[in-house]
Amino acid sequence: MDRLHQSIEAEIPRLRRYARALCRDVAAADDLVQDCLTRALAKLHLWQEGTDLRAWLFTILHNQHVNRIRRAVREGAAVEL
């Protein structure tokens, strides 16, 4: 299990780069990565040994991003007057 946590930690720089490309905002990207890692650690029991950990993490990150966009559309955009 400890080796798995180290493997996840090693993917953080790649996750941050991908999140910055998606969000185009450093703070939002860092929040997205944090949400991704929180979800990944909570759902670690669902990851199957022998599968690609990087792909699993990137899928979680991408799905978190899509969920945020959908939530923003549903709630409407805030416009300053």
Side-chain angles (χ1 to χ4, degrees):
M1 194 66 134
D2 191 38
R3 195 179 97 222
L4 184 58
H5 287 108
Q6 290 174 349
S7 298
I8 291 172
E9 186 178 349
E11 296 299 327
I12 292 174
R14 292 179 188 94
L15 290 169
R16 290 183 78 200
R17 277 195 300 272
Y18 183 53
R20 286 181 181 176
L22 289 174
C23 296
R24 297 188 175 112
D25 177 28
V26 175
D30 287 342
D31 290 343
L32 182 61
V33 170
Q34 183 176 357
D35 291 345
C36 168
L37 293 172
T38 302
R39 187 170 191 92
L41 292 175
K43 303 289 183 174
L44 199 55
H45 64 281
L46 297 175
W47 179 72
Q48 298 175 358
E49 185 74 31
T51 59
D52 190 4
L53 179 64
R54 182 183 300 171
W56 186 68
L57 291 170
F58 274 70
T59 300
I60 292 172
L61 182 82
H62 181 80
N63 289 341
Q64 289 289 103
H65 177 67
V66 169
N67 289 342
R68 282 184 174 192
I69 291 173
R70 287 180 180 161
R71 189 177 311 117
V73 167
R74 198 172 49 244
E75 293 173 356
V79 179
E80 290 187 36
L81 298 176

